[in-house]
């Protein structure tokens, strides 16, 4: 069988292969399972039909991505259906242990069942980056504070700007990317193996750091570390008084963000810029549901003002033309980016 081992709380990180599933907490009908594994799958296309059939037979919704380098995705359904999918992957498809994170919901978060074939599990756009060949040193949540408190360590958040915006680790550098494909360019411009002797990186659930640390190792960085199980594992394992996490954590499901206790929060996604908007910002007059938030309203007003100054137009004319058009960011739909 496959483990669905759950901590006392609402979210759990586990690997497939140890124990039968306990009943979901709060008698929730829907189990959500975020999973990934880097492994060699030369015949990955052939796994699609039987995997899709197993998901459909078990009433499992969500999306799984198959690639030559492994599997990634988030699925949801009854506990038995999730078990069947994991058993298929572990035993029939021969993947062995798979990194899984569980949460429990009253309503199904996904409407469709999909298996996609892709060139990469997490697109970074750099040839030859193979986490199975070389990857950074995993650091357990319990040891993370000591590492990132070392002044010799450069701490980099590998997530995108809209994720970092609502929370990150104390002292972390924000690369200001809107897509993971921009991360290699950030490394090229701002990190140097001769200067940055020890680099620690983190992401939501761990998968992006498999790629980012492999990239740095390939480019000659010697001491590269990443947070095992990502931010979600840290929030689960490290108590709030001891925590160096600041703010909330962006997640790629209907909750949008969670607090340190891994509880869903009342954020909404801005229709203009795709950033997460808290309730306090939604109370402001610049917020228009589905159109813009105070952040992209101010950004757009600034652009219009600059344009107005260049064209020698008066302030009244420019302010009358303010529109809430933000930049569409690279947010996956129903697949956890981690």
């Amino acid at each position: 069988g496959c483990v669905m081992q759950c901590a006392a709380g609402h979210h759990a990180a586990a690997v497939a292969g140890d124990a039968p599933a306990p009943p979901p907490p709060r008698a929730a009908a829907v189990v959500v399972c975020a999973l990934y594994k880097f492994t060699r799958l030369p015949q990955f296309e052939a796994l699609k039909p039987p995997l899709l059939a197993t998901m459909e037979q078990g009433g499992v919704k969500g999306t799984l991505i198959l690639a030559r380098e492994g599997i990634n995705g988030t699925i949801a359904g009854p506990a038995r259906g999730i078990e069947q999918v994991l058993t298929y992957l572990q035993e029939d498809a021969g993947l062995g242990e798979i990194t899984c994170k569980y949460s429990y919901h009253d309503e199904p978060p996904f409407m469709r069942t999909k298996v996609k074939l892709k060139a990469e599990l997490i697109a970074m756009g750099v040839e030859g980056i193979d986490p199975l060949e070389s990857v950074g040193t995993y650091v357990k949540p319990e040891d993370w504070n000591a590492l990132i408190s070392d002044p010799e360590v450069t701490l980099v958040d590998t997530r995108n700007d809209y994720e970092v915006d609502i929370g990150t680790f104390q002292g972390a550098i924000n690369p200001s990317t809107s897509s993971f494909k921009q991360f290699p360019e950030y490394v090229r411009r701002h990190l140097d193996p001769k200067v940055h002797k020890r680099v620690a990186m983190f992401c939501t659930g761990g998968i992006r750091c498999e790629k980012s640390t492999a990239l740095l190792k390939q480019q000659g960085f010697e001491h590269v570390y990443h947070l095992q199980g990502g931010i979600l594992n840290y929030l689960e394992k490290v108590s709030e008084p001891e925590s160096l996490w600041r703010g909330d954590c962006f997640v790629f499901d209907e909750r949008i963000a969670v607090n340190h206790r891994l509880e869903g929060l009342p954020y909404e996604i801005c229709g203009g810029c795709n950033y997460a908007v808290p309730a306090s910002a939604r109370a402001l007059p610049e917020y228009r549901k589905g159109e813009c938030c105070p952040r992209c309203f101010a950004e757009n007003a600034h652009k219009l003002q600059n344009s107005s100054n260049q064209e020698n137009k008066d302030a009244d004319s420019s302010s009358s033309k303010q529109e809430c058009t933000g930049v569409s960011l690279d947010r996956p739909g129903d697949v956890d980016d981690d």
Side-chain angles (χ1 to χ4, degrees):
C2 298
V3 70
M4 292 183 69
Q5 156 189 326
C6 179
H10 147 105
H11 203 102
V15 291
D18 298 335
R26 300 182 288 106
V30 181
V31 179
V32 179
C33 174
L35 62 95
Y36 80 85
K37 181 167 187 176
F38 282 95
T39 185
R40 304 258 188 259
L41 291 179
Q43 308 297 325
F44 71 97
E45 297 98 335
L47 295 177
K48 179 176 177 175
L51 176 55
L52 188 60
T54 304
M55 290 171 70
E56 288 172 342
Q57 286 161 14
V60 173
K61 309 282 188 184
T63 301
L64 290 175
I65 294 169
L66 290 169
R68 197 172 299 280
E69 63 185 7
I71 187 167
N72 175 38
T74 305
I75 54 176
R80 180 70 186 143
I82 299 292
E83 281 289 313
Q84 288 169 347
V85 172
L86 292 176
T87 299
Y88 167 77
L89 290 171
Q90 178 181 299
E91 297 173 9
D92 299 347
L95 269 65
E97 290 190 349
I98 297 174
T99 301
C100 300
K101 294 191 301 293
Y102 297 94
S103 57
Y104 302 88
H105 298 265
D106 298 314
E107 300 292 332
F110 308 125
M111 306 292 20
R112 292 179 291 175
T113 302
K114 293 182 281 188
V115 176
K116 294 182 177 180
L117 303 176
K118 291 198 173 182
E120 292 182 89
L121 293 185
I122 292 291
M124 193 165 68
V126 178
E127 291 290 326
I129 300 301
D130 187 356
L132 294 170
E133 295 264 329
S134 177
V135 76
T137 302
Y138 295 100
V139 180
K140 292 180 178 177
E142 297 83 355
D143 302 324
W144 185 248
N145 284 2
L147 175 70
I148 69 172
S149 298
D150 184 335
E152 297 296 308
V153 171
T154 301
L155 180 62
V156 180
D157 193 331
T158 68
R159 302 172 305 149
N160 296 319
D161 217 9
Y162 57 86
E163 298 169 82
V164 181
D165 185 61
I166 64 168
T168 190
F169 279 105
Q170 182 177 301
I173 295 168
N174 175 12
S176 300
T177 58
S178 60
S179 160
F180 192 49
K181 288 180 179 177
Q182 296 171 0
F183 190 77
E185 179 65 12
Y186 165 79
V187 172
R188 190 182 71 78
R189 286 173 175 267
H190 300 284
L191 296 180
D192 181 343
K194 296 187 183 69
V195 177
H196 305 98
K197 302 288 190 183
R198 303 175 72 203
V199 181
M201 293 186 278
F202 61 92
C203 55
T204 313
I207 188 169
R208 273 178 280 191
C209 288
E210 302 274 357
K211 281 287 185 82
S212 64
T213 60
L215 173 73
L216 262 68
K217 295 290 280 186
Q218 187 203 59
Q219 296 191 0
F221 291 81
E222 191 176 349
H223 301 291
V224 183
Y225 310 90
H226 49 143
L227 177 57
Q228 191 165 31
I231 299 159
L232 295 175
N233 195 31
Y234 178 93
L235 298 181
E236 186 185 315
K237 301 279 172 59
V238 177
S239 69
E240 217 164 333
E242 296 175 358
S243 178
L244 294 180
W245 178 258
R246 301 291 178 260
D248 301 320
C249 179
F250 192 102
V251 291
F252 289 88
D253 59 39
E254 79 290 348
R255 292 171 299 174
I256 298 174
V258 296
N259 60 19
H260 206 292
R261 296 178 295 282
L262 296 168
E263 299 162 336
L265 298 168
Y267 282 87
E268 287 184 10
I269 295 297
C270 172
C273 66
N274 278 349
Y275 275 62
V277 188
S280 57
R282 296 200 301 274
L284 298 174
E286 294 87 354
Y287 177 73
R288 296 184 208 163
K289 188 175 178 67
E291 294 181 20
C292 71
C293 65
R295 182 192 161 280
C296 61
F297 186 92
E299 191 174 282
N300 206 51
H302 179 69
K303 286 177 185 172
L304 284 165
Q305 186 65 51
N306 287 344
S307 172
S308 167
N309 291 341
Q310 287 169 7
E311 294 170 18
N312 232 358
K313 292 180 180 175
D314 62 48
D316 289 340
S317 169
S318 71
S319 63
S320 70
K321 292 183 182 177
Q322 287 184 17
E323 294 173 0
C324 294
T325 52
V327 179
S328 179
L329 299 177
D330 183 27
R331 290 188 66 240
D334 56 1
V335 179
D336 189 327
D337 199 18
D338 256 319

